[in-house]
Amino acid sequence: MPDAMEPRYDHTKLEGEIYARWEKSGFFNPDVCVEKGVTDKDAEPFSLSLPPPNVTGTLHIGHAFEDAIQDIMVRYQRMRGRRTLWVPGTDHAAIATQAKVEGMLYKEEKKTKYDLGREEFLRRVENFAQESHDTIVKQVRRMGTSLDWSREAYTFDEKRSFAVRAAFEKMYDAGLIYRGARIVNWDPKLKTTVSDDEIAWKEEPAPFYYLKYGPFVIATARPETKFGDKYVVMHPNDKRYKKYKHGDTLKLEWINGSVTATIIKDDVIDMEFGTGVMTITPWHDATDFGIAERHKLDKEQIIDFDGKLLPIAGEFAGIYITKARPLIVEKLRAKGLLEKVDEKYLHRVATNSRGGGLIEPQIKMQWWVDVNKPFAMGESSLKGIPKGSRATLKELMRKVVKSGQVKIVPERFAKIYFHWINNLHDWCISRQLWYGHRIPVWYCLACGGKADKKMGFAGDVVPQVFDRKTRTYRLRDHGFTVGDRVAFENSATGELFGYGTMTEIAKTTVAEIDLKDPKHWKTYEAREQLIAAFKRHYPEKDIRSDTPVWLYTYVFDQTIKKSDGIRVNPEIKSRWFLVRHGETDSVKNNTVDGWQDTPLNETGLAQAEKHAEGMRGKKIDLIISSDLKRCKETAEIFARTTGAKIIYDPDLRERNWGALEGIPKSERDLHHQDASYSYHGKPERGESFADVEDRSWNAFQKYLKLYADKNVVFSIHGGPIRLIMGKLRKWSFEEVLRYYPPVSEMVALDISAPCAQCKGEIYEQDPDTFDTWFSSGTWTFSTLGWPEKTKDLATYHPNSFMAPGYEILFLWVARMILMSGCLLGQIPFKIAYLHGIVRDIEGRKFSKSLGNGIDPLELANTYGADAVRMALVVGAAPGNDLKFAESKVAGYRNFATKIWNASRFVLMNKPASASAKAGNLTAKDKAHIAHAQKMKKAVGAHIEKFEFHLAAEKAYHYFWHTFADKIIEEYKPLLKGDSGVAQVRAYRVLETILLDSLKMLHPFMPFVTEAVYEKFLPKKMLMVEEW
RNA sequence: GCGCCCUUAGCUCAGUGGUAGAGCGUCACAUUGACAUUGUGAAGGCCGCAGGCUCGAUCCCUGCAGGGCGCACCA
């Protein structure tokens, strides 16, 4: 007797067993298929990469949908005999993951990431990601996906990280990546930049203020940005303002006093809008930035990176903009500058779609991918862009789709894609996040890759030599001449800001210098300095208050030369860490502690342990420590973890404060200022800063000569650290005093080959990380081993098929095309099948906040994964959203039962003897069988045309309403009849059709079909049967 | 502003230059059946509106209305 079938199909039991059997068979791996002879070794390859789910997420209905589509294609192609590879993996999703862990950290421990420090925070993220990974991978399996798990990848694993670094280097060398200060989307909440495509726009009703700006009326929804506005812009053809000429200046009363405004004519202005006149805020608005760039106007920061107003806002400085706005409006009203308010205005507000805050445009030094710069194509199989030709990334992205080499399904998305390319700007790829691929750029610590001449500006970039806070200094000793290459940095933070070439332009007057200075600045002095500078350059001219002043300006130069002390992927000889000892009671009580031999207290011991934890895996060879007790104890703790030897060196001791040891710091600072704040000042019986710098720097240099190839940890004091850092960075003594070595972090120094510019050997890596889409852009080929020339890469790239959701067409699909195109000269995939969004029955997206979530796993447990897959596929046309209801799943659960029962009926009638005579098939028998084969073919044709919904429906109908309802009924009398031969014949016909039907249903409902198939052919596996 | 799409049965949606389709729902009847998850049948549609091309339009074209979405340099 054949195996009997249970009266009911029990998916809960069978689906798990069957998946385990598939995995054990190894047939998910095309190499095994070839090895075991189920696939021809020369068979045409068919490949795809799973859009990697976020490692910290859980499987939602959208994944289930996406995975079902791909699995249908994969199973079909595998059964068709192709060497089919579907690569699984997960995504580290930098910003989303970091935000999630930050959220948990705050909720559970009331801590921020800064409390933990970068290292410790990243360890937490990694742990969380690892746990989470196991969950989601299990969930992906649950849906029946036939992924080759032996090739599983992670966007943040070693191989993928290597690929990302290689990608950056290659694009940098090709001139496609540059560093430059440009306007960015800044998220003050997550404290990072965000790319244009990650912005979500919201429309909000907001009051629209009409303000009197001298003779003009300007309209704005954001009065808080207007403090620095000194350019008033109008259309050149606007007759109303004909009497104002470009470059004219006029004095007028503004928020915090009198200002001089300059007339600018630009045709970006819409004469119809508002009053046809506007003032500009180039630092905080992309349009205004564009105008300022075109006309070489000043740019000034009004809002800081926390979202608070800067000193330029006068009495409003330090206030968050949302709070300041009504106050500012009140002041404007009081001064009579508020003309009217339009309450019904709809304002478009940018928000960070990754759960961040309100976007505030800022100018910031970032890394960019230039989409408009032609580059030389290397090896290329791209149509229309042969090897050696030149193209821009925009052209590349456009051409491969236009030529049909990459086909976007459904086609209408190609139009959207082109439209997007037309409006595309350079892609900002750096993020100020901790979790993610670190940008593989190292800066020489001494010269920072900066140009020879350095320029500091208190308020970030103010393109003139003339700086608001330190202008006198600037004008006295700048020593620049036109054409000099200079670096600009924020003198408060030391942040490198931009590179440029000095030029000169005339656009202000001596008088203006007075007028625009708030009282507390040394206006008179500044003016005198300016005049002096002017005289130096134009000795023959008279100076009057209305004399135009030629100020130095620079033009941004957005590329950086490698020789400028910037290294991409350098070979790091060794890593050195400067660690400050932990807390002592003196530190805690704020008393002076120099050579006193105080031990660590409990907190201090814990801090040392935490650092030691961070040293695991860093292969520390040597510990060099001050011989004072607090450092000694710290070093010993490090030694326990790392096993490294300790060298004690009294030259690395803290400053000897002599007579001042043990007194409160406040007293020291107040009564011994010379010792506290001057370089050479010396307390009685103690040392000066100069003395300490001398001995500790010499010691450091000595060790650098001895141990440049070893990984070294310095367990030392705050004093030597800041002095050594000061020497390394060539700081002034004032800068040294401003720097406090962090207790929560180790200062990491990387030793590499000497800098071409200044011979320094010590580098530090860019602290920023990549936009997560920069790494996901490499997904189709980094998963196959690129940049190595692997067999997988040669065989399976480009991918045959890719099935992401249309919502990531720009974020991901376009970026894969870009990166694959410029790095490999290949398309990433032949087909981009874009699926829609699964929505609830009211058409809303599923979301946690709405509480309308449907858990696909719960559904799979209730109805079976097969039913869930069918419910998702049927009725989902390419690119269309799918409204989804549980009742649909129930319907397909019924279908699974139908398959089981119909098969069970056929099996019940199986002849006892395999050799039982069936007689000849009748014409009708043959017609039924032929029809079934025709249907199978039709189903296959639909799949090949990406009409999965039609394919599924066709297979469904055939089985239920033709095979079960008609054919089985037709043959029932024969089966029940007296003729043994006819019985056998009837069985043979039904079995033939059934097995074919199972094949055509298998891609859609793999579990139940596999379960049934083996009842008939116990030695076979339907998954690899021939279609 | 530029662009893409949708409007078909009560609901959710397919679809085609020639009599209009599915699932769910509704109604009637049948059912100790391989099927408690079944079967047979029925009702239900000026295929958004108005023009045009065509022998023929739900489908192609134009316009309009309503809805959705993408992009943008909407002060």
Side-chain angles (χ1 to χ4, degrees):
Chain A
M1 269 305 280
D3 289 341
M5 285 169 77
E6 308 288 316
R8 280 186 73 173
Y9 171 60
D10 182 1
H11 65 262
T12 42
K13 178 163 163 269
L14 288 173
E15 289 188 345
E17 286 178 18
I18 289 167
Y19 197 87
R21 214 174 308 148
W22 285 332
E23 268 204 278
K24 207 176 145 205
S25 76
F27 290 141
F28 290 166
N29 180 342
D31 303 336
V32 173
C33 289
V34 169
E35 206 176 290
K36 294 201 179 164
V38 300
T39 304
D40 197 50
K41 73 172 169 16
D42 303 318
E44 200 185 331
F46 188 92
S47 59
L48 54 158
S49 316
L50 179 77
N54 183 347
V55 70
T56 64
T58 50
L59 192 87
H60 59 66
I61 197 83
H63 293 124
F65 180 36
E66 186 171 276
D67 296 353
I69 289 164
Q70 295 169 83
D71 198 43
I72 289 165
M73 184 53 103
V74 167
R75 286 181 183 272
Y76 170 73
Q77 297 292 354
R78 191 184 291 116
M79 290 173 81
R80 294 276 296 165
R82 297 179 66 173
R83 267 191 295 165
T84 306
L85 173 63
W86 187 16
V87 182
T90 48
D91 188 1
H92 71 293
I95 191 166
T97 304
Q98 170 159 338
K100 187 159 189 169
V101 176
E102 274 188 74
M104 285 178 3
L105 187 65
Y106 191 76
K107 205 172 157 198
E108 286 161 21
E109 303 177 37
K110 291 270 172 276
K111 280 183 183 166
T112 69
K113 62 177 185 286
Y114 303 105
D115 294 328
L116 299 185
R118 188 165 183 150
E119 293 255 341
E120 170 68 10
F121 179 75
L122 287 179
R123 266 197 299 281
R124 298 271 187 116
V125 180
E126 277 302 334
N127 288 343
F128 178 65
Q130 183 55 47
E131 275 172 37
S132 218
H133 161 269
D134 299 348
T135 308
I136 189 134
V137 160
K138 207 169 124 198
Q139 291 173 333
V140 170
R141 283 176 160 93
R142 179 67 186 85
M143 300 311 296
T145 50
S146 55
L147 286 151
D148 179 6
W149 294 102
S150 73
R151 284 175 165 90
E152 190 188 341
Y154 179 43
T155 55
F156 203 31
D157 63 19
E158 236 344 284
K159 282 188 178 161
R160 263 46 65 178
S161 300
F162 184 64
V164 167
R165 291 195 296 270
F168 178 89
E169 184 170 351
K170 194 160 180 205
M171 290 172 75
Y172 179 79
D173 287 346
L176 291 171
I177 291 180
Y178 66 90
R179 191 162 186 244
R182 303 189 20 177
I183 200 140
V184 297
N185 304 302
W186 178 256
D187 179 350
K189 189 175 151 201
L190 294 182
K191 299 268 188 292
T192 182
T193 54
V194 174
S195 72
D196 295 346
D197 294 290
E198 285 169 298
I199 300 260
W201 293 93
K202 282 182 193 157
E203 281 203 338
E204 271 178 11
F208 199 49
Y209 305 98
Y210 287 79
L211 307 176
K212 281 185 200 156
Y213 191 77
F216 307 104
V217 173
I218 57 159
T220 183
R222 300 199 56 194
E224 71 277 11
T225 64
K226 296 279 153 203
F227 290 99
D229 288 11
K230 56 184 177 183
Y231 301 105
V232 54
V233 191
M234 57 207 70
H235 198 281
N237 301 340
D238 197 328
K239 291 190 185 110
R240 290 171 292 179
Y241 307 111
K242 211 176 168 183
K243 65 170 176 170
Y244 300 100
K245 300 271 176 291
H246 182 90
D248 283 357
T249 57
L250 50 134
K251 273 192 201 176
L252 50 89
E253 186 61 19
W254 196 223
I255 313 172
N256 282 340
S258 178
V259 297
T260 299
T262 306
I263 308 284
I264 301 295
K265 302 265 179 167
D266 194 299
D267 51 21
V268 76
I269 298 293
D270 177 0
M271 288 187 269
E272 310 294 313
F273 191 93
T275 56
V277 179
M278 70 173 188
T279 60
I280 57 167
T281 312
W283 202 284
H284 301 290
D285 185 287
T287 311
D288 298 359
F289 181 83
I291 295 171
E293 286 280 278
R294 271 200 293 286
H295 301 283
K296 305 206 186 309
L297 310 179
D298 291 353
K299 308 181 189 79
E300 204 159 356
Q301 190 172 13
I302 314 295
I303 300 163
D304 72 8
F305 292 104
D306 293 330
K308 289 186 292 206
L309 286 161
L310 284 164
I312 188 170
E315 69 208 78
F316 303 105
I319 306 178
Y320 281 100
I321 49 174
T322 40
K323 283 194 179 157
R325 190 181 299 174
L327 304 176
I328 294 163
V329 171
E330 216 22 73
K331 181 164 181 190
L332 285 162
R333 195 191 307 272
K335 286 187 83 169
L337 294 174
L338 185 62
E339 171 109 350
K340 63 168 177 171
V341 184
D342 177 359
E343 296 285 351
K344 275 178 275 178
Y345 182 70
L346 265 189
H347 186 54
R348 244 169 51 114
V349 189
T351 62
N352 178 357
S353 63
R354 300 282 151 179
L358 286 180
I359 295 297
E360 184 61 62
Q362 294 273 9
I363 299 178
K364 209 167 161 47
M365 188 71 161
Q366 295 292 297
W367 288 97
W368 304 83
V369 170
D370 192 331
V371 293
N372 290 308
K373 186 174 174 181
F375 66 101
M377 199 68 206
E379 288 300 325
S380 171
S381 60
L382 302 178
K383 279 187 193 162
I385 314 176
K387 182 177 178 180
S389 67
R390 293 180 77 79
T392 66
L393 289 171
K394 269 193 183 181
E395 285 161 4
L396 183 155
M397 286 191 280
R398 203 172 301 149
K399 269 191 181 164
V400 296
V401 175
K402 204 140 236 168
S403 70
Q405 205 173 1
V406 170
K407 196 176 160 200
I408 295 182
V409 180
E411 224 169 315
R412 69 188 141 91
F413 284 106
K415 292 182 194 167
I416 295 172
Y417 172 82
F418 292 132
H419 187 253
W420 173 80
I421 291 176
N422 292 340
N423 289 305
L424 185 63
H425 301 291
D426 286 359
W427 171 21
C428 176
I429 52 170
S430 45
R431 297 286 176 276
Q432 291 63 53
L433 297 166
W434 289 354
Y435 189 57
H437 296 278
R438 232 8 218 282
I439 291 173
V441 171
W442 274 255
Y443 306 101
C444 167
L445 206 63
C447 70
K450 295 161 193 167
D452 336 311
K453 293 178 185 177
K454 186 166 139 184
M455 229 175 157
F457 287 110
D460 288 324
V461 174
V462 176
Q464 289 135 330
V465 169
F466 173 71
D467 170 66
R468 288 185 184 279
K469 281 192 180 158
T470 53
R471 62 185 66 178
T472 53
Y473 164 79
R474 221 49 68 195
L475 288 168
R476 191 164 48 236
D477 345 279
H478 65 74
F480 292 109
T481 53
V482 171
D484 272 356
R485 187 168 157 75
V486 290
F488 297 87
E489 65 177 26
N490 181 329
S491 57
T493 61
E495 187 181 356
L496 177 64
F497 209 87
Y499 294 88
T501 306
M502 298 304 295
T503 58
E504 54 177 353
I505 56 168
K507 61 173 162 52
T508 186
T509 61
V510 172
E512 192 192 342
I513 304 305
D514 288 325
L515 294 170
K516 62 187 176 185
D517 277 350
K519 287 184 216 72
H520 57 274
W521 291 333
K522 293 175 185 168
T523 307
Y524 180 77
E525 196 184 328
R527 181 164 169 257
E528 291 305 304
Q529 294 298 338
L530 189 71
I531 289 166
F534 182 89
K535 278 189 167 159
R536 208 160 52 235
H537 286 283
Y538 304 98
E540 72 283 10
K541 292 194 178 166
D542 282 345
I543 306 292
R544 296 197 319 271
S545 64
D546 60 346
T547 303
V549 179
W550 293 76
L551 291 177
Y552 276 107
T553 305
Y554 73 92
V555 174
F556 270 127
D557 174 359
Q558 296 177 325
T559 56
I560 293 168
K561 285 183 251 161
K562 272 197 169 174
S563 61
D564 283 349
I566 293 190
R567 298 277 179 85
V568 175
N569 288 327
E571 192 196 326
I572 301 299
K573 277 199 237 162
S574 61
R575 304 197 68 195
W576 285 26
F577 301 93
L578 306 186
V579 189
R580 196 178 169 191
H581 64 77
E583 191 179 272
T584 61
D585 285 341
S586 314
V587 172
K588 194 175 166 190
N589 301 329
N590 268 314
T591 56
V592 174
D593 217 3
W595 282 18
Q596 296 196 106
D597 228 6
T598 45
L600 294 175
N601 65 18
E602 230 166 81
T603 314
L605 290 167
Q607 284 165 339
E609 291 288 356
K610 214 178 94 183
H611 281 308
E613 202 49 49
M615 286 170 203
R616 280 185 199 282
K618 290 207 169 76
K619 295 188 185 136
I620 302 300
D621 302 305
L622 184 65
I623 297 162
I624 299 175
S625 173
S626 145
D627 64 344
L628 292 174
K629 193 170 226 163
R630 50 196 190 273
C631 286
K632 227 171 176 171
E633 287 178 350
T634 306
E636 278 158 13
I637 289 170
F638 296 170
R640 238 190 296 141
T641 313
T642 60
K645 253 177 54 182
I646 310 175
I647 295 175
Y648 295 105
D649 188 339
D651 284 345
L652 291 170
R653 282 186 190 181
E654 185 55 287
R655 179 178 181 188
N656 182 356
W657 285 95
L660 304 182
E661 294 272 348
I663 68 165
K665 281 182 184 164
S666 52
E667 193 192 318
R668 176 196 66 188
D669 295 349
L670 206 62
H671 300 298
H672 305 273
Q673 295 206 356
D674 187 48
S676 302
Y677 297 118
S678 80
Y679 185 54
H680 291 290
K682 217 181 257 201
E684 200 180 322
R685 298 193 312 281
E687 294 175 294
S688 67
F689 278 113
D691 297 335
V692 183
E693 182 179 271
D694 202 42
R695 62 167 160 82
S696 56
W697 177 245
N698 283 339
F700 187 81
Q701 290 290 315
K702 177 181 82 191
Y703 293 121
L704 193 56
K705 280 204 184 93
L706 287 169
Y707 304 119
D709 56 343
K710 295 215 181 320
N711 294 326
V712 180
V713 172
F714 283 83
S715 167
I716 51 177
H717 309 266
I721 290 183
R722 70 194 336 193
L723 289 163
I724 290 170
M725 289 303 287
K727 286 290 272 186
L728 286 171
R729 290 188 187 273
K730 302 197 170 144
W731 278 336
S732 67
F733 182 61
E734 285 72 26
E735 286 171 307
V736 170
L737 284 182
R738 271 207 300 271
Y739 173 71
Y740 293 97
V743 179
S744 60
E745 306 255 349
M746 303 189 273
V747 178
L749 307 172
D750 295 340
I751 318 282
S752 184
C755 165
Q757 188 165 281
C758 72
K759 307 285 177 257
E761 297 168 83
I762 299 181
Y763 290 78
E764 62 178 348
Q765 189 174 2
D766 194 306
D768 288 357
T769 51
F770 280 118
D771 177 8
T772 179
W773 300 105
F774 186 85
S775 56
S776 344
T778 68
W779 189 240
T780 60
F781 49 92
S782 66
T783 50
L784 298 173
W786 187 88
E788 314 264 336
K789 289 196 165 75
T790 60
K791 204 178 147 212
D792 269 5
L793 189 65
T795 312
Y796 297 111
H797 205 269
N799 281 183
S800 314
F801 185 72
M802 170 61 69
Y806 65 73
E807 76 275 13
I808 51 173
L809 174 60
F810 311 140
L811 284 171
W812 195 41
V813 177
R815 260 110 210 214
M816 284 191 281
I817 292 173
L818 183 160
M819 297 200 64
S820 182
C822 79
L823 293 169
L824 283 77
Q826 288 181 13
I827 53 168
F829 35 72
K830 293 170 189 155
I831 304 292
Y833 173 96
L834 302 172
H835 65 74
I837 296 168
V838 186
R839 297 172 181 275
D840 73 4
I841 210 69
E842 284 163 52
R844 302 171 306 183
K845 280 189 187 180
F846 287 111
S847 77
K848 267 185 198 146
S849 53
L850 278 176
N852 60 349
I854 292 189
D855 181 0
L857 299 153
E858 221 169 84
L859 287 178
N861 291 338
T862 312
Y863 301 103
D866 286 334
V868 179
R869 292 167 60 122
M870 272 304 265
L872 286 166
V873 169
V874 175
N880 280 18
D881 290 354
L882 174 74
K883 284 189 195 168
F884 186 81
E886 191 166 334
S887 58
K888 207 169 166 189
V889 187
Y892 289 104
R893 184 265 323 264
N894 296 354
F895 180 51
T897 308
K898 189 75 185 177
I899 294 173
W900 182 263
N901 269 305
S903 308
R904 177 165 167 249
F905 175 74
V906 175
L907 193 67
M908 281 164 62
N909 291 288
K910 187 169 183 174
S913 152
S915 57
K917 282 217 173 89
N920 290 333
L921 298 185
T922 66
K924 208 164 185 191
D925 296 340
K926 286 179 188 163
H928 281 314
I929 292 169
H931 180 234
Q933 281 167 348
K934 208 177 118 195
M935 290 306 294
K936 191 174 68 179
K937 212 168 184 178
V939 168
H942 280 306
I943 295 176
E944 284 176 27
K945 282 190 279 178
F946 320 110
E947 297 164 341
F948 305 107
H949 58 302
L950 299 181
E953 206 175 314
K954 197 157 254 177
Y956 167 85
H957 272 276
Y958 177 75
F959 192 91
W960 199 321
H961 300 299
T962 301
F963 178 63
D965 288 350
K966 305 236 162 66
I967 300 178
I968 290 185
E969 292 305 325
E970 191 183 318
Y971 283 83
K972 250 182 200 171
L974 288 179
L975 292 168
K976 309 282 179 199
D978 305 329
S979 162
V981 176
Q983 272 178 24
V984 174
R985 194 194 89 220
Y987 173 79
R988 288 282 144 80
V989 173
L990 292 180
E991 190 201 54
T992 306
I993 297 174
L994 174 66
L995 295 182
D996 251 355
S997 306
L998 291 174
K999 284 181 187 173
M1000 83 174 93
L1001 282 164
H1002 180 73
F1004 309 95
M1005 305 182 82
F1007 290 109
V1008 67
T1009 50
E1010 186 74 74
V1012 169
Y1013 200 80
E1014 71 153 8
K1015 297 287 181 185
F1016 287 85
L1017 301 167
K1019 286 179 188 153
K1020 299 279 192 177
M1021 193 170 263
L1022 177 56
M1023 189 189 117
V1024 288
E1025 286 284 85
E1026 200 178 325
W1027 177 268

